[in-house]
Amino acid sequence: MTDAAAAGTFRLGERTVNRMGYGAMQLAGPGVFGPPKDAETARAVLREAVARGVNHIDTSDFYGPHVTNQLIAEALHPYPRDLVIVTKVGARRGDDGSWNPAFAPADVTSAVHDNLRNLRLDAIDVVNLRVMGTVHAPSEGSIEEPFTTLAELQRQGLIRQLGLSNVTSAQIREARTIADVVCVQNQYNLAHRADDALVDELDAAGVSYVPFFPLGGFAPLQSAELSAVAAELGATPMQTALAWLLDRAPNILLIPGTSSLEHLAENLAAADLELPEGALERLDAIGARRAAKDRAGALPA
């Protein structure tokens, strides 16, 4: 039975965590809105993740909203001493389930207090400013005001460390003039490789990179080559994609999410999967082909 520690560790600011973590988004209802169909199973998944060595959980109070944080508290509070909970602010949910930007100082402050209350915490380990951009891809623009608000809440002792999500390199540089940034969370996986240079830049600086949608998100990764490599290794395509991320750079922290105990075990088993050189080359080529296709699609007719 694989333990999350098999993936190794990396720094998350002042803390050290196992590189295989857990993302809580899928514990909410369909569309990340409302309660789950089976709340007890959701709590069981959280308990099993921690029992299997996961000590880095990613969440947000806008998942549900409030649902995943309340489930985390119900399942795990009082929290193990080594557990690092990372949340994010920058959006609010509409009554229709829409995702609406919420960057004003009052919105950011209110969101931090919502997270504190629903997680039953006096201080949050890490809060990421989630920039809405184009929802799943970053776009340029100053983040000085909302990040300064988070830095002030950090000075008040409500937040221990700060991070960023869905951001550009310029926004990271801007934020680092305001406060220390311990992690960056952007979309990145085997097929979506736009952040290749940023991953390496942050690795050199000792900053954690946390891919969201490591398995493709709402449109799971699909590749004949990925399936072929996985079959040769006796693994699932998703395990193979996670193993590729672990091999990609030592500063990558994984937060695959699931609401299933079976899938949790499958995800954790990726920590034991070794990718031979030939398999790595074939998997790397998937991203290269996707990038070439995207570039071709962007060219004028």
Side-chain angles (χ1 to χ4, degrees):
M1 183 181 293
T2 303
D3 187 278
T9 62
F10 195 77
R11 247 178 23 205
L12 186 52
E14 297 174 354
R15 305 288 295 273
T16 297
V17 297
N18 292 327
R19 293 181 64 206
M20 183 66 79
Y22 175 77
M25 184 176 74
Q26 292 188 34
L27 296 183
V32 201
F33 196 67
K37 184 176 181 180
D38 186 343
E40 186 48 47
T41 295
R43 289 188 286 267
V45 167
L46 287 161
R47 295 187 188 107
E48 179 67 8
V50 171
R52 297 276 294 273
V54 167
N55 58 8
H56 167 209
I57 292 179
D58 179 85
T59 186
S60 176
D61 209 58
F62 54 66
Y63 294 163
H66 318 307
V67 169
T68 62
N69 281 355
Q70 291 170 356
L71 287 168
I72 289 168
E74 290 164 6
L76 302 175
H77 192 274
Y79 301 113
R81 289 178 62 113
D82 69 337
L83 180 63
V84 176
I85 297 178
V86 180
T87 190
K88 60 189 74 65
V89 299
R92 286 196 182 279
R93 305 299 294 278
D95 292 339
D96 59 353
S98 56
W99 304 77
N100 304 307
F103 297 129
D107 292 329
V108 171
T109 300
S110 175
V112 168
H113 283 280
D114 286 345
N115 278 276
L116 287 165
R117 180 178 63 256
N118 286 311
L119 288 167
R120 304 182 202 169
L121 289 171
D122 296 321
I124 304 169
D125 292 312
V126 184
V127 174
N128 289 329
L129 177 65
R130 210 297 185 180
V131 181
M132 294 304 285
T134 57
V135 184
H136 299 317
S139 58
E140 296 292 357
S142 175
I143 59 172
E144 178 182 4
E145 185 176 58
F147 199 73
T148 298
T149 301
L150 284 180
E152 175 56 33
L153 294 169
Q154 182 184 34
R155 284 189 288 271
Q156 294 174 19
L158 300 179
I159 303 169
R160 295 191 176 96
Q161 303 182 105
L162 301 177
L164 297 166
S165 178
N166 205 40
V167 289
T168 66
S169 293
Q171 288 165 337
I172 296 169
R173 290 193 295 272
E174 180 184 40
R176 293 176 82 174
T177 67
I178 299 167
D180 190 31
V181 173
V182 303
C183 59
V184 172
Q185 187 182 99
N186 280 5
Q187 183 178 16
Y188 186 77
N189 56 49
L190 186 63
H192 295 84
R193 303 277 298 277
D195 269 7
D196 266 341
L198 180 59
V199 170
D200 295 334
E201 176 187 330
L202 294 174
D203 183 26
V207 175
S208 297
Y209 184 93
V210 188
F212 69 72
F213 291 165
L215 299 175
F218 298 112
L221 292 173
Q222 293 184 356
S223 163
E225 186 71 356
L226 172 60
S227 296
V229 171
E232 292 168 16
L233 297 173
T236 69
M238 297 302 97
Q239 287 172 329
T240 305
L242 290 174
W244 179 87
L245 282 166
L246 288 172
D247 189 85
R248 170 63 183 81
N251 66 322
I252 287 181
L253 302 179
L254 295 186
I255 51 168
T258 179
S259 59
S260 158
L261 286 165
E262 179 182 359
H263 290 157
L264 173 67
E266 289 180 5
N267 290 341
L268 291 175
D272 282 333
L273 185 61
E274 294 187 10
L275 301 177
E277 188 62 34
L280 283 170
E281 291 173 359
R282 291 163 64 189
L283 294 171
D284 284 339
I286 295 172
R289 287 195 295 270
R290 173 62 182 263
K293 182 179 178 180
D294 289 346
R295 285 195 298 271
L299 293 175

